[in-house]
Amino acid sequence: MTRRTQQKQAIWAAFETATQPLSVHEVRTIASRQVKHLSLATVYRTIGSLLKEGSLSAIEVPGNADRYRLAGANECDHFRCDHCGCIYEIAPCPLAATPSLPAGFRNDRHQVFFFGVCFRCCESDAQ
Ligand SMILES: [Zn+2]
């Protein structure tokens, strides 16, 4: 197996085992456990090609770098912990209905973000 294939497999495995959308840096940290000396440029390039082939989808995080997840997963909204910065996928908000847009506008997508403190940070605050 070529090094390039090993790198791509390690990056893919990071997404398959992730329980939340990953940043490029998180992907590099996880995939580096399998492939040594994995550069950020390689992670960016691989994520770019996985996005292009439709295997990943990007999540725009307000005020932060994009996160990525496997494409085709269920629709969900997101929660960002203000303490640790982790992004969690949560069940879609029933309030996020079709917006009433001014004439001439077309809605293509929506994204709902909730902000607060995650369960891990709440637990560590309580101790
Ligand atoms: Zn947290």
Side-chain angles (χ1 to χ4, degrees):
M1 194 188 315
T2 66
R3 176 163 168 79
R4 200 175 180 134
T5 307
Q6 286 176 334
Q7 290 171 333
K8 188 172 181 177
Q9 282 190 353
I11 289 166
W12 183 252
F15 286 108
E16 282 188 319
T17 55
T19 56
Q20 59 193 41
L22 299 174
S23 69
V24 171
H25 288 271
E26 289 167 338
V27 171
R28 183 187 182 202
T29 301
I30 296 167
S32 292
R33 293 176 200 143
Q34 286 184 42
V35 180
K36 298 289 171 216
H37 310 298
L38 186 60
S39 72
L40 261 187
T42 298
V43 177
Y44 273 108
R45 190 178 56 240
T46 304
I47 287 175
S49 77
L50 290 169
L51 283 169
K52 212 179 216 175
E53 70 186 43
S55 303
L56 289 183
S57 53
I59 295 154
E60 295 162 37
V61 182
N64 281 283
D66 287 357
R67 304 285 179 118
Y68 304 93
R69 68 198 278 250
L70 295 180
N74 289 338
E75 273 296 303
C76 60
D77 290 330
H78 296 91
F79 179 96
R80 194 189 79 195
C81 176
D82 289 333
H83 280 204
C84 65
C86 284
I87 307 289
Y88 295 90
E89 296 188 331
I90 58 174
C93 175
L95 296 175
T98 307
S100 55
L101 295 170
F105 283 67
R106 185 190 78 205
N107 178 241
D108 290 332
R109 62 197 172 90
H110 81 271
Q111 195 160 4
V112 178
F113 250 93
F114 295 88
F115 299 89
V117 182
C118 76
F119 70 100
R120 286 193 188 100
C121 293
C122 280
E123 278 177 6
S124 63
D125 279 356
Q127 289 170 0

